[in-house]
Amino acid sequence: YCAMASGFSAGEAVARAPQEPTVPSLDLARVALLKGHGVTLEAIEPMGAKVAGLDLKGPEPPAAVLEALQAEMAARGFLVFSGQGVLSGDEQCKASELWGGRQMHSTHGVHPKAPNEHIFRLSNDPDVGINGVGPQWHNDGSFEVGVFSHVGYHIIRVPEKKGDTCFAHLGAAFDALPRATQEFWFRLVSVNATSGVLHPMVHDHLITGRRSVYLHLGMTGGVLEKIGEDQFRLLGEDELQKLFHSYNDLLNNGFPENGGNYAISYQYQEGDCIFIDNLALAHKASPQAHFDAKEQGLRILHRTTVKAMKPFLPGFNLPSTATQELLRDAQETSKGKGVFVAGGLGFRWDSTIRMQN
């Protein structure tokens, strides 16, 4: 994915915003094309869609089918391939490589019970899988120049009680922002705490062109603001706290129970294999996903991550990764009030919440 919106002027922002936040309906032409190949789509409200008639264990579908499905993934955020049974690790990897960069990009720790090195095995029982990951809104692979294009989630064991994954549509979230906030966020670039990689807070999605927001709430060390020609400053502590809380509130406000129409807490069904467009959506684990297996029931989820289609660059003629000189100059421009927290979870924007990557 290439960040295409980072260098936009305030005039361009005004021309395109604000709008009513919406997730697009299923594209009728794509629905018809897929139906001709025996594949049906059913919209999930307020976002996502369910796919039937395609066996992920079977031969690779025709290119036109894959293109249509990937376009719907980009537009509505995620697709649920239902009734898949239990995929082996190799079968899940094969299905993952149908999308985006068409190649696995695996950077996670490998649990002893994972079927192969590409499967990130998650569970609420640490003896069975890795526990406690991703409680805050984020996009996977944010420490990479090329953020993962797509992510797969295959439920191996559905808990007796809830163990959802939450998704928020980042294009609709941008449209929900006040105009002044949109213009401010246009000027911002996040600095990853572990790698120093730079990513724009606003970009145009590579496939849909949808203007979208982006921020990792569990691995960002600081945020740069462009304030002049080739001049940047680091946001201060109070500014970062306000920014992170605003982003968190924006995505949480998308849930229907909060009056929104661009976020969902998806409850897994047996046989579900979900694929998301990783820059169309942010995601987080629901609190119940981490509850003790003795109380909640055992939850096992296999995650896969797919190579980027293009680098996700910050724009503004910035390098892909922050240099010491860039951070030093930005700190001087901030008159010593700027904040960058290197390593681990980065800037702790709320001391009362749990954070884990």
Side-chain angles (χ1 to χ4, degrees):
Y1 289 78
C2 179
M4 301 170 62
S6 302
F8 293 151
S9 67
E12 289 177 281
V14 169
R16 292 186 56 174
Q19 304 173 40
E20 182 68 23
T22 57
V23 175
S25 301
L26 291 173
D27 182 89
L28 295 181
R30 290 196 286 262
V31 170
L33 183 150
L34 291 168
K35 188 175 182 180
H37 290 271
V39 179
T40 60
L41 282 181
E42 178 186 353
I44 300 170
E45 297 302 336
M47 58 189 293
K50 184 171 288 189
V51 181
L54 197 156
D55 183 1
L56 295 177
K57 298 177 183 179
E60 181 172 321
V65 170
L66 294 179
E67 183 178 356
L69 290 171
Q70 183 161 286
E72 282 301 334
M73 218 181 293
R76 288 189 61 84
F78 70 94
L79 296 179
V80 180
F81 294 81
S82 57
Q84 299 295 320
V86 176
L87 301 178
S88 70
D90 289 346
E91 287 169 340
Q92 184 173 345
C93 289
K94 178 184 173 184
S96 301
E97 290 180 332
L98 298 174
W99 321 114
R102 301 291 302 256
Q103 182 179 330
M104 304 306 299
H105 186 171
S106 306
T107 59
H108 52 257
V110 180
H111 192 275
K113 293 190 176 180
N116 64 45
E117 70 274 19
H118 297 300
I119 299 295
F120 191 33
R121 184 174 168 96
L122 304 169
S123 180
N124 54 354
D125 181 343
D127 291 331
V128 176
I130 297 173
N131 188 26
V133 175
Q136 307 305 325
W137 291 111
H138 65 285
N139 305 73
D140 287 334
S142 292
F143 47 86
E144 298 280 354
V145 172
V147 174
F148 306 143
S149 68
H150 293 76
V151 181
Y153 305 93
H154 179 39
I155 194 72
I156 303 299
R157 174 71 164 67
V158 180
E160 283 72 18
K161 300 180 182 178
K162 292 186 69 175
D164 300 4
T165 298
C166 302
F167 302 111
H169 194 286
L170 299 179
F174 175 82
D175 291 342
L177 289 170
R179 179 175 298 167
T181 304
Q182 291 178 342
E183 293 176 4
F184 175 47
W185 287 13
F186 269 113
R187 304 193 297 271
L188 301 182
V189 174
S190 65
V191 189
N192 187 268
T194 62
S195 65
V197 164
L198 301 175
H199 294 308
M201 194 154 173
V202 174
H203 68 102
D204 279 353
H205 191 277
L206 176 65
I207 295 175
T208 65
R210 182 85 183 258
R211 196 157 291 180
S212 305
V213 293
Y214 174 94
L215 186 65
H216 193 303
L217 291 183
M219 200 191 290
T220 299
V223 175
L224 296 167
E225 181 190 6
K226 179 177 172 60
I227 60 173
E229 190 66 28
D230 297 325
Q231 189 175 31
F232 300 86
R233 73 179 186 95
L234 277 167
L235 299 192
E237 182 175 357
D238 290 345
E239 293 174 302
L240 283 177
Q241 286 183 343
K242 181 178 179 180
L243 175 67
F244 282 47
H245 277 284
S246 295
Y247 189 83
N248 188 55
D249 291 344
L250 172 68
L251 300 194
N252 286 336
N253 288 342
F255 289 115
E257 57 266 32
N258 295 332
N261 63 351
Y262 55 90
I264 187 173
S265 182
Y266 182 79
Q267 187 170 356
Y268 291 98
Q269 307 295 320
E270 279 191 32
D272 280 352
C273 189
I274 296 178
F275 287 102
I276 73 167
D277 185 305
N278 191 41
L279 287 181
L281 292 186
H283 68 278
K284 65 177 180 178
S286 68
Q288 295 87 353
H290 298 146
F291 287 175
D292 191 286
K294 295 177 182 177
E295 300 177 2
Q296 198 71 8
L298 180 63
R299 179 185 191 261
I300 305 174
L301 185 70
H302 284 178
R303 191 203 73 174
T304 46
T305 48
V306 182
K307 182 180 178 180
M309 297 166 71
K310 288 185 177 181
F312 185 44
L313 300 175
F316 299 129
N317 295 316
L318 286 167
S320 62
T321 303
T323 62
Q324 289 185 349
E325 181 183 9
L326 172 64
L327 295 177
R328 183 177 63 247
D329 291 347
Q331 181 65 280
E332 290 178 1
T333 304
S334 307
K335 299 179 180 180
K337 297 181 180 179
V339 172
F340 176 70
V341 180
L345 301 169
F347 179 72
R348 290 299 301 262
W349 52 278
D350 189 333
S351 62
T352 67
I353 63 173
R354 194 175 64 81
M355 296 171 67
Q356 180 180 335
N357 294 315

